[in-house]
Amino acid sequence: MSLNSFGHLFRFTTWGESHGPALGAVVDGCPPGLALSEADIQPFLDARRPGQSRFTTQRQEPDQVRILSGVFEGRTTGTPISLMIENVDQRSKDYGDVAKAYRPGHADYAYDAKYGFRDYRGGGRSSARETAARVAAGGVARLVLPEVKILAWVSEIGGDAIDMARFDEAEISRNPFFCPDAQAAARWEALVDEARKSGSSLGAVVECVATGVPAGWGAPLYAKLDAELAHAMMGINAVKGVEIGDGFAAARNTGEGNADPMRPGSAGPEFLANHAGGIAGGISTGQPVSVRVAFKPTSSILTPMPTITREGEATELFTRGRHDPCVGIRGVPVVEAMMALVLADQKLLHRGQCG
Amino acid sequence: MSLNSFGHLFRFTTWGESHGPALGAVVDGCPPGLALSEADIQPFLDARRPGQSRFTTQRQEPDQVRILSGVFEGRTTGTPISLMIENVDQRSKDYGDVAKAYRPGHADYAYDAKYGFRDYRGGGRSSARETAARVAAGGVARLVLPEVKILAWVSEIGGDAIDMARFDEAEISRNPFFCPDAQAAARWEALVDEARKSGSSLGAVVECVATGVPAGWGAPLYAKLDAELAHAMMGINAVKGVEIGDGFAAARNTGEGNADPMRPGSAGPEFLANHAGGIAGGISTGQPVSVRVAFKPTSSILTPMPTITREGEATELFTRGRHDPCVGIRGVPVVEAMMALVLADQKLLHRGQCG
Amino acid sequence: MSLNSFGHLFRFTTWGESHGPALGAVVDGCPPGLALSEADIQPFLDARRPGQSRFTTQRQEPDQVRILSGVFEGRTTGTPISLMIENVDQRSKDYGDVAKAYRPGHADYAYDAKYGFRDYRGGGRSSARETAARVAAGGVARLVLPEVKILAWVSEIGGDAIDMARFDEAEISRNPFFCPDAQAAARWEALVDEARKSGSSLGAVVECVATGVPAGWGAPLYAKLDAELAHAMMGINAVKGVEIGDGFAAARNTGEGNADPMRPGSAGPEFLANHAGGIAGGISTGQPVSVRVAFKPTSSILTPMPTITREGEATELFTRGRHDPCVGIRGVPVVEAMMALVLADQKLLHRGQCG
Amino acid sequence: MSLNSFGHLFRFTTWGESHGPALGAVVDGCPPGLALSEADIQPFLDARRPGQSRFTTQRQEPDQVRILSGVFEGRTTGTPISLMIENVDQRSKDYGDVAKAYRPGHADYAYDAKYGFRDYRGGGRSSARETAARVAAGGVARLVLPEVKILAWVSEIGGDAIDMARFDEAEISRNPFFCPDAQAAARWEALVDEARKSGSSLGAVVECVATGVPAGWGAPLYAKLDAELAHAMMGINAVKGVEIGDGFAAARNTGEGNADPMRPGSAGPEFLANHAGGIAGGISTGQPVSVRVAFKPTSSILTPMPTITREGEATELFTRGRHDPCVGIRGVPVVEAMMALVLADQKLLHRGQCG
């Protein structure tokens, strides 16, 4: 799992920068014989695509994926699947400010400290554009998991949470926030608009649930399903926290309150609760696998912030131009993709070891 | 990073079960020439050792580590370091209940679903005894990081948090809770005692800060320092949530509130805040690296809970005998060990790629 | 080192098939700050390029490499370098024969047995076209190794060997066989021409020597420099044997005859022989690292051979059209590339562990 | 596959030195439910055990293996299997010579160059004692492969080869050379005795064939079955060459002579030859998988050889005491073990990807 690759058996490697000619993913280890065309992947890219509402960045990228290898006569061959997405809206702008000074909160300073050097155009490799490659790879991973349904949504923006009693799955695709609670969506419209207009930004929480995962996926001890999910989610741009099941709420609970008792069911055990989020000892229990992911507010804001130049002089920077007032929103398809990628890998690993 | 190994260049593999003859870790990729003896590792094992107060399990394990390879004339040779700890207090008890039925909340059912079979004695491989092997490996990792100071503590038990204004590092080793706030420690004594007496259990939050980490460790995109930490921490028994820096609080903040502005300092940049927890774009910034970890209350409680037998019949189970009323407490040395193991690996990775 | 990736720290992944739109490599873990443009890679691709003499396949591929990521302002950024080469001469021909029956000696049957399915156009993924991607990646690896000189040549075709007494490095680029012995080159011209005209094919031996490798690269025990080289070379299409240093000749020697005595030299030890091929205990000794690689004759011949159809019926097949009468010849730049890729990786690994 | 681990899904890590207290292997990823006890492993260790005839080193090691984890009620649990073998005959001798100067041909100088330091007692980590750990791990791997029969033998010592026309499998266990040709065994007795008495040493070639491997194991392109075997074999101490099938002889052949034609058989295709050694395109064909391995003569000889001291002064060294006059002989169980370890891993990998 080194550097720009993820996964063990179902493994992908991504490449590309915000302002390069293209970006892509190479998916390796995919089972053969799966029906796959660009049309299977494109909807997920479309969901993540910027510029679709005023609540996301106005950069216009069609994000059309091309499959360059690994598919023959409409089916996967078992060899590497190369996916490429061209960048078309690398707007020519003046990067003088950013080239000379570090945007606070961004990876600028850390990259320079590491590499002595950085591609400063739009964040280079650290740009959230890379997540398009993950989403494309995730589209392939979903084909490996016909038994699993993956659903993510925004459950909180800027501290304003949805009411789970009003959860309506159909609502998620009806508003620009992937919000399952119509009333919250209405409130967020005002909230995010205000942030956008004032050049501020807001954090968000994304939840994701995978149903249909059979008991037995995952492995002790360093390939635990929850550890892999935590790795996958924490590696998404702007993510600062990950919870499995009840997460931090479990830390405030008692053993009785946190219990997931079982009783005989029609098909295997029936659980009376799912505080564990579908994972025990790092292995799936057959219950829905649930994860919550905290996205920080993007550091790209209009308010000037103190920072330093590459030469170490004091200066101030603010972010001109296009940015996401709430990056967590477009995190929804990315979180879904990472869930699919982890599960596909764990499915193959389980089959490999246990037959 | 497959199954029972962790790390890329500084890599360890653990083995052993709760009730086997021994458990251990093989540490591979350690730099040569470091002074190492059992005495360098033992203090960390002693900190984690059970049976030291009435607030942890009463199982008596001396947890004496033996170095079986990789050290010559008191120095690491660069070849694998085999560490072994014998189990001496595998109390002979009746495992009939546990062999026949699944303890709810434990890994029993998931292991059986995966392997068709499990070592039911004390949880087998899923027992927190395995964390002794991590702590031993962590003792070696610390030698790789003389420039880094790692400190963890319990910041919350059962929802009762410390007051950071009363934070006193020296206090941590003075009470059985690794609590830096003397007043909280006093409150927790009553709280945990009550749980212990009633056969209940409590969750906890552990915080860990590493100071002295230079800017530049970590790597885009799937070996991000924060992703690796999340993996490491989420893989610890009973952990259900991980936050870097402000974590979920960042999701409720604005871009202005969450900013970490910089100004010129005497040695590199000086940061005016550390909401990011010392990591930007997956790479260390030179600020303290901070992580918060949520431990659930152990599922071993005296209250009988509905469950099923291996044959799928309804039954009830409760946990007799020794257990930790708050497993998070002994999580402190484990969290420190995982922090050291991740950082040692990232230090070597950085040196490998960037010289 | 799974499936379509190779290397630990300096790691590359290749993708693409003989008759797909393109093929490529993603190079990950490359040190930052190295000057890199397409012009640094193209000469190695040109050396491997088909259609340059009548002794190789007549497929016309310009093999122009494009760098799609990982380079900014002419220097490597430390992030993934995506290299792409378009296929332009996938001649439209009738693949009916090959689609229905298995070419003996080719991977056709094995691929079908594995995947239940195969891309039969020109061998699909098993085609030697893939080696273009390795050669491109090798061009990047060379930048990591300014201290090392890598030189390969054909030392034997169809059992006719060069005379080392006539070894002339300058000669290698003067004939279409990468032959350092002008007299052998003259003989091979007739030999290979005869094979070409009769639709037969010939095997070859390629030797490769890397000078300037310092003592200390490689690692016990499963990342041994010689084991990695054997892996790298045996994975090249058509390779059936690998020797380090004296190889099989050492198995026919005595301890005295095979000794590499040392004496003090001006810069470290001076070796009086190099039977070991520059590697002892899996670690470089500072002497030239030498490897010999056996290429089988390609199975694409004009003589019809008995085989079976996908349905299991008896039939016969022979190879129409373009093919290499001696694939070993074009193996020279591929062997050099794999040597560079192994050494670059081992250099970084050594630096990572040992500083 | 880094440093002291080998394998992808079925993976093992070894540790230990020649003169440490013990050595061992941790086998990870083993399928659950396999019947395993020490008695399943011990026969393979016994075959490799030194001191059984005058033709191998006289070091007396019972090489009793202990299983410390991963087995419960006689069956593998799917969790790591820790195998330990104690060293009992680390004869206390004077290592003054070896500590001060480098034994030519051994890893002494290379280790020092790498690590700045080495365990000079009996070669430390570079000693062939490590192969005991591989053989133990190989004993576990065999359980994963009930369908496969693995057989190795010595085919050549000091250039004196067996006559395949006299191949008799039963003979292999009847002489101290693992020789399938009784007449060759008789000749070797004199040959090796002479080398032993004169303090010289001889090289050898070991052949290994695995029958019962189904078509479809292995994977393009960097996990090719032949590449993995080459890695595995070349990593054995003293090995300098590896051939698959006809190996270097194929390089001297024509396409017609090297063909493996097929015809319909009762169960799948029937091959009319096996020049390929059971592997095409890196994937097994269903034919016997065959490999040949060249062992150099050990560098431990009585003839003094020029060398240098750690300080760089000229000196001479010869090897006192116990050594193998022909290390290739005891390589037979090691080659079998590595074959089993590679095949077990590839079986699981294939099952993981292709179901």
Side-chain angles (χ1 to χ4, degrees), chain D:
Chain D
M1 200 175 301
S2 69
L3 306 185
N4 292 277
S5 300
F6 188 87
H8 306 270
L9 269 191
F10 186 96
R11 185 173 171 86
F12 70 101
T13 301
T14 72
W15 55 269
E17 295 97 33
S18 173
H19 282 56
L23 52 87
V26 181
V27 178
D28 198 8
C30 184
L34 304 174
L36 174 65
S37 75
E38 279 91 351
D40 295 300
I41 300 173
Q42 198 60 46
F44 303 107
L45 283 167
D46 290 347
R48 179 203 157 279
R49 194 153 59 82
Q52 300 187 95
S53 81
R54 67 181 187 276
F55 305 109
T56 62
T57 172
Q58 295 306 301
R59 179 168 170 170
Q60 295 295 333
E61 288 288 354
D63 279 348
Q64 290 291 326
V65 67
R66 273 187 74 197
I67 299 175
L68 294 177
S69 68
V71 175
F72 181 61
E73 297 181 342
R75 287 187 291 153
T76 58
T77 60
T79 62
I81 301 167
S82 178
L83 305 169
M84 187 167 73
I85 297 162
E86 287 184 54
N87 286 327
V88 302
D89 189 20
Q90 318 99 305
R91 191 173 295 184
S92 61
K93 61 163 252 189
D94 179 10
Y95 282 105
D97 286 8
V98 183
K100 286 184 204 135
Y102 303 118
R103 295 172 301 163
H106 281 286
D108 298 0
Y109 171 69
Y111 265 60
D112 241 19
K114 182 173 192 72
Y115 300 119
F117 174 65
R118 82 194 132 103
D119 177 352
Y120 47 73
R121 301 164 307 163
R125 181 67 180 154
S126 71
S127 164
R129 270 224 44 77
E130 187 268 348
T131 59
R134 304 181 188 219
V135 169
V140 181
R142 284 169 190 264
L143 300 178
V144 180
L145 301 163
E147 69 274 55
V148 175
K149 177 187 167 187
I150 295 171
L151 186 70
W153 60 88
V154 177
S155 66
E156 205 178 313
I157 290 186
D160 181 8
I162 61 168
D163 179 349
M164 281 304 285
R166 280 197 292 270
F167 186 96
D168 176 5
E169 185 181 327
E171 187 62 30
I172 295 173
S173 56
R174 284 197 207 113
N175 60 69
F177 303 107
F178 299 103
C179 178
D181 167 356
Q183 294 186 19
R187 295 194 309 268
W188 293 352
E189 194 161 326
L191 193 67
V192 180
D193 240 354
E194 191 189 307
R196 182 179 62 83
K197 286 177 187 162
S198 65
S200 180
S201 65
L202 296 166
V205 174
V206 172
E207 294 198 27
C208 184
V209 171
T211 47
V213 176
W217 291 3
L221 273 164
Y222 302 98
K224 279 183 170 175
L225 182 51
D226 36 8
E228 299 273 330
L229 283 171
H231 191 129
M233 300 304 169
M234 195 66 93
I236 300 173
N237 304 51
V239 170
K240 302 303 286 184
V242 180
E243 296 181 314
I244 304 292
D246 283 4
F248 278 85
R252 284 148 204 153
N253 209 340
T254 62
E256 296 76 27
N258 194 55
D260 292 331
M262 287 182 276
R263 66 176 174 207
S266 51
E270 205 172 280
F271 288 85
L272 306 177
N274 188 17
H275 298 286
I279 305 173
I283 297 173
S284 60
T285 62
Q287 287 206 285
V289 173
S290 75
V291 61
R292 284 162 45 87
V293 183
F295 285 82
K296 71 172 184 181
T298 175
S299 305
S300 298
I301 50 177
L302 275 177
T303 308
M305 285 283 161
T307 189
I308 59 169
T309 65
R310 293 200 69 193
E311 283 70 38
E313 303 294 313
T315 185
E316 286 204 331
L317 265 190
F318 65 94
T319 303
R320 262 190 284 264
R322 310 174 298 190
H323 77 282
D324 276 285
C326 177
V327 282
I329 298 171
R330 293 205 293 134
V332 167
V334 184
V335 166
E336 285 192 354
M338 295 309 293
M339 174 68 90
L341 288 157
V342 168
L343 291 176
D345 187 36
Q346 293 291 335
K347 177 180 179 174
L348 302 195
L349 276 175
H350 177 63
R351 186 162 74 183
Q353 186 183 7
C354 298

Side-chain angles (χ1 to χ4, degrees), chain C residues 23-47:
Chain C
L23 52 87
V26 182
V27 178
D28 198 8
C30 184
L34 303 175
L36 174 65
S37 74
E38 279 90 350
D40 294 299
I41 300 173
Q42 198 60 48
F44 303 107
L45 283 167
D46 290 345

Side-chain angles (χ1 to χ4, degrees), chain A residues 1-6 8 12 14 102 104-107 109-111 113-115 125 130 134 156-159 199-205 215-224 226-228 230-231 234-237 239-244 247-248 250-256 258-264 269 271-272 275-276 279-281 283-285 292-298 301 303 305-308 312-314 338 350 353-354, chain B residues 1-6 8 12 14 102 104-107 109-111 113-115 125 130 134 156-159 199-205 215-224 226-228 230-231 234-237 239-244 247-248 250-256 258-264 269 271-272 275-276 279-281 283-285 292-298 301 303 305-308 312-314 338 350 353-354:
Chain A
M1 199 175 301
S2 67
L3 307 183
N4 292 277
S5 300
F6 188 86
H8 305 272
F12 69 101
T14 72
Y102 303 119
H106 280 286
Y109 171 69
Y111 265 61
K114 181 172 193 72
Y115 300 118
R125 180 68 180 154
E130 185 269 349
R134 304 180 189 222
E156 207 178 312
I157 290 185
S200 180
S201 65
L202 295 167
V205 175
W217 292 2
L221 272 161
Y222 302 98
K224 279 182 170 175
D226 36 7
E228 299 272 332
H231 191 128
M234 194 68 93
I236 300 172
N237 304 48
V239 170
K240 302 303 285 184
V242 179
E243 296 180 315
I244 305 292
F248 278 85
R252 284 147 204 154
N253 209 339
T254 62
E256 295 77 26
N258 194 56
D260 292 331
M262 287 182 274
R263 67 178 173 205
F271 287 84
L272 307 177
H275 299 286
I279 304 173
I283 297 171
S284 60
T285 62
R292 284 165 45 88
V293 183
F295 285 82
K296 70 173 185 181
T298 177
I301 50 178
T303 309
M305 286 283 161
T307 189
I308 60 170
E313 302 296 313
M338 294 310 292
H350 177 63
Q353 185 182 9
C354 297
Chain B
M1 199 176 301
S2 67
L3 307 184
N4 292 277
S5 300
F6 187 87
H8 306 270
F12 70 101
T14 72
Y102 303 118
H106 281 285
Y109 170 70
Y111 265 61
K114 181 174 192 70
Y115 300 119
R125 181 69 180 154
E130 186 269 349
R134 303 180 190 221
E156 208 178 311
I157 289 185
S200 180
S201 65
L202 295 167
V205 175
W217 292 2
L221 270 161
Y222 303 98
K224 277 182 171 176
D226 36 8
E228 299 272 331
H231 191 129
M234 195 67 93
I236 299 172
N237 305 51
V239 169
K240 302 302 285 185
V242 179
E243 296 181 315
I244 304 291
F248 278 85
R252 285 148 205 152
N253 208 340
T254 60
E256 295 77 26
N258 194 55
D260 293 332
M262 287 182 274
R263 67 177 172 205
F271 288 85
L272 306 176
H275 299 284
I279 305 174
I283 297 172
S284 59
T285 62
R292 283 163 45 89
V293 183
F295 286 82
K296 71 173 184 181
T298 176
I301 51 177
T303 308
M305 286 283 161
T307 189
I308 59 169
E313 302 297 312
M338 295 309 292
H350 176 63
Q353 185 183 7
C354 298

